[in-house]
């Protein structure tokens, strides 16, 4: 499955049972049962993270600052991209090589942590 983008939708077992039972009772067709199950899967889902503060303060801080860390990472990527793409002609070759190495290492760290900047 590596390299494939898989989007899984969750549906309550009771929902699947409800529509499949209706199908088996000949109240709706199989395709209608599947369509209704898919409609339930495509509804907006919500998630709650619950922390016991102050014991879980570290975990809370990590979870609540995720978008800030994404922004830091995005800004750093953009900086490294700019430093490698728009290099003045008189820039020393070793400097350019170092910037490319930094950019490559930065992207490797991101991949190793299972995240992505959508770039």
């Amino acid at each position: 499955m590596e390299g494939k983008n898989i989007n899984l939708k969750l549906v309550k077992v009771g929902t699947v049972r409800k529509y499949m039972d209706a199908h088996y009772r000949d109240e709706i067709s199989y395709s209608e049962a599947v369509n209704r199950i898919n409609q339930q899967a495509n509804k907006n889902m919500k998630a709650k993270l619950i922390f016991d503060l102050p014991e879980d303060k570290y975990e809370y801080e990590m979870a609540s600052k995720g978008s800030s860390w994404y922004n830091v990472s995005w800004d750093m990527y953009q900086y490294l991209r700019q430093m490698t793409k728009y290099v003045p002609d008189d820039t020393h070759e070793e400097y350019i090589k170092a910037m490319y190495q930094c950019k490559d290492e930065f992207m490797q760290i991101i991949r190793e942590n299972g995240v992505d900047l959508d770039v």
Side-chain angles (χ1 to χ4, degrees):
M1 280 197 200
E2 189 173 318
K4 292 185 179 181
N5 187 6
I6 300 173
N7 292 322
L8 298 176
K9 304 280 184 160
L10 299 177
V11 181
K12 292 180 181 178
V13 173
T15 300
V16 174
R17 182 176 291 142
K18 171 181 156 184
Y19 293 120
M20 293 311 293
D21 285 348
H23 162 65
Y24 291 127
R25 290 189 305 266
D26 290 328
E27 295 170 3
I28 59 175
S29 67
Y30 176 79
S31 59
E32 179 63 23
V34 171
N35 285 339
R36 290 183 185 184
I37 292 167
N38 285 333
Q39 286 174 351
Q40 291 296 315
N42 290 324
K43 286 186 176 180
N44 290 334
M45 297 178 71
K46 296 179 182 178
K48 289 183 182 181
L49 298 176
I50 299 172
F51 300 95
D52 291 324
L53 298 175
E55 297 87 20
D56 295 338
K57 184 174 180 4
Y58 175 78
E59 290 82 2
Y60 168 76
E61 291 292 328
M62 294 298 287
S64 66
K65 293 187 178 181
S67 62
S68 295
W69 278 107
Y70 175 87
N71 291 333
V72 167
S73 299
W74 177 257
D75 289 347
M76 187 65 191
Y77 175 78
Q78 291 301 319
Y79 172 77
L80 292 169
R81 181 177 177 272
Q82 181 181 15
M83 298 308 287
T84 54
K85 188 171 184 178
Y86 305 108
V87 180
D89 293 335
D90 61 345
T91 304
H92 195 276
E93 187 176 320
E94 289 299 316
Y95 175 82
I96 296 170
K97 184 178 175 181
M99 285 293 112
Y100 272 104
Q101 287 175 334
C102 287
K103 182 180 172 190
D104 292 344
E105 181 66 19
F106 181 72
M107 293 309 293
Q108 181 63 31
I109 291 168
I110 285 175
R111 281 190 293 275
E112 287 172 359
N113 283 279
V115 293
D116 160 349
L117 293 176
D118 296 325
V119 293

